[in-house]
Amino acid sequence: MIERIENSHFIAEVNTLGAQLTKIYCKDNGTDYLWNGDETYWKKHAPVLFPFVGRLYEGKYTYQGKVYDMTLHGFCQQAEFTVISNDGDCITLEIRPDEERRAMYPFDFIFSVTYRLTDKGLDECAKVVNPGKTELLYGFGGHPGFNVPLDEGLAFEDYEICFPEAGKIERRKFTDNHMDAGSYESTDTVSNGVMKLHHDLFDDDAVVLHGTGERAILRSSKGKKSVEVIYKGAPWCGIWHPIKRDAPFVCIEPWWILPGRDETMVDISEREDFIHLAPGGVNEHVISMIFS
């Protein structure tokens, strides 16, 4: 089911299947900013990644000596969320464990996503609650796709992604199977905090960066429209579009954990990147989007 929220500047639509944004439209300039889901390239728009990000070796992981199956990017994309509230310009959707999810993920949890329109764009807040009596281990990430070009008459290659808070940016190394290789490498895809976009940048899948700071801006010096993504607390930012395609969009993906390692299934309690939430604990992860 598609739910709609609206304020004086924006209209957003959210699919209850996956709690996925499917539209962000600016009334002021008549622009659809979010990727439209054309199946020619990628049928999704902005998946919510929980409780895992990325691939796992053989689609499995271990916890306390038991092996579990897990789908790519976690199970949210296949989950029908319950609408907790829709106040016109703000909507909250929620899932909890059911029989199928418990078979994949043996933790008690309450996971909700709130989308709130602002005067400048939209805030996405993922809230994780641990109602259980044992520690909750999880990951979270965003995967929103944005149309490129945003301005008529421009090309994909006219755009760049700027990281204005960048420190020493390193690229996370991945294997040929698109799994985490466990180390970093220097990269020439980002120079002085700027990544110039071109389609073959993604011939080896996502470009996953560490050290970007907490802001990424999609922009062109030839155009007027831009997208700024703010991701406080996310250690990694992935930039992606389909491999070896001329897809007219790019995803800016804040990640709070990494994908699995190749050729191994490490117990998630031993992974340094996994988030540990104590019984009764509550965490919030916010991704803010500003459109101009």
Side-chain angles (χ1 to χ4, degrees), residues 195-221:
M195 172 189 285
K196 301 290 187 180
L197 290 183
H198 47 93
H199 292 297
D200 59 5
L201 188 65
F202 308 103
D203 283 356
D204 296 321
D205 209 0
V207 178
V208 178
L209 304 172
H210 182 267
T212 63
E214 298 178 329
R215 296 168 61 209
I217 302 173
L218 172 64
R219 68 188 186 186
S220 172
S221 61

Side-chain angles (χ1 to χ4, degrees), residues 5 15 27 39 85 96 116 132-133 142 173 175 179 188 198 202 210 212 216 226 236 249 251 260 263 271 276 278 292:
I5 54 176
N15 194 335
K27 300 178 183 179
E39 294 188 16
S85 64
R96 301 187 182 213
R116 182 185 302 276
K133 297 181 180 180
K173 294 176 68 175
T175 69
M179 309 289 292
D188 58 4
H198 47 93
F202 308 103
H210 182 267
T212 63
S226 66
W236 299 276
F249 73 93
C251 291
E263 304 293 333
R271 284 184 50 171
H276 293 238
S292 61

Side-chain angles (χ1 to χ4, degrees), residues 40-259:
T40 304
Y41 297 101
W42 188 53
K43 66 180 180 180
K44 300 172 185 178
H45 308 264
V48 175
L49 316 183
F50 172 88
F52 284 77
V53 171
R55 295 174 174 83
L56 296 170
Y57 178 59
E58 296 185 345
K60 302 177 186 294
Y61 72 96
T62 64
Y63 177 66
Q64 293 186 343
K66 185 175 179 179
V67 178
Y68 295 89
D69 293 314
M70 180 57 65
T71 54
L72 174 66
H73 290 315
F75 47 63
C76 281
Q77 295 176 73
Q78 297 80 37
E80 182 67 32
F81 280 66
T82 299
V83 177
I84 301 302
S85 64
N86 186 339
D87 300 325
D89 63 352
C90 178
I91 185 171
T92 297
L93 308 97
E94 179 185 281
I95 57 170
R96 301 187 182 213
D98 61 11
E99 184 176 351
E100 182 179 1
R101 289 171 209 139
R102 286 191 186 279
M104 301 171 69
Y105 185 62
F107 297 95
D108 288 325
F109 68 90
I110 303 171
F111 178 70
S112 64
V113 184
T114 298
Y115 297 106
R116 182 185 302 276
L117 290 171
T118 67
D119 289 342
K120 296 182 178 180
L122 179 142
D123 290 341
E124 173 184 346
C125 178
K127 183 178 180 181
V128 185
V129 178
N130 181 1
K133 297 181 180 180
T134 59
E135 191 174 52
L136 167 61
L137 278 62
Y138 74 93
F140 171 71
H143 202 316
F146 303 104
N147 291 317
V148 183
L150 291 167
D151 298 89
E152 291 187 14
L154 297 188
F156 186 88
E157 291 79 9
D158 291 323
Y159 284 79
E160 64 186 19
I161 296 177
C162 170
F163 302 100
E165 299 175 353
K168 179 184 178 182
I169 292 182
E170 297 177 302
R171 182 173 180 173
R172 190 73 177 186
K173 294 176 68 175
F174 282 76
T175 69
D176 292 340
N177 293 326
H178 313 298
M179 309 289 292
D180 180 29
S183 61
Y184 292 97
E185 62 185 352
S186 59
T187 177
D188 58 4
T189 59
V190 183
S191 177
N192 296 319
V194 175
M195 172 189 285
K196 301 290 187 180
L197 290 183
H198 47 93
H199 292 297
D200 59 5
L201 188 65
F202 308 103
D203 283 356
D204 296 321
D205 209 0
V207 178
V208 178
L209 304 172
H210 182 267
T212 63
E214 298 178 329
R215 296 168 61 209
I217 302 173
L218 172 64
R219 68 188 186 186
S220 172
S221 61
K222 300 178 181 180
K224 296 181 179 179
K225 299 172 184 176
S226 66
V227 177
E228 180 175 356
V229 181
I230 302 170
Y231 41 94
K232 293 186 180 300
W236 299 276
C237 182
I239 309 299
W240 176 86
H241 86 15
I243 298 172
K244 297 182 180 180
R245 302 293 301 279
D246 59 348
F249 73 93
V250 69
C251 291
I252 299 175
E253 307 180 28
W255 288 1
W256 275 258
I257 67 166
L258 290 165

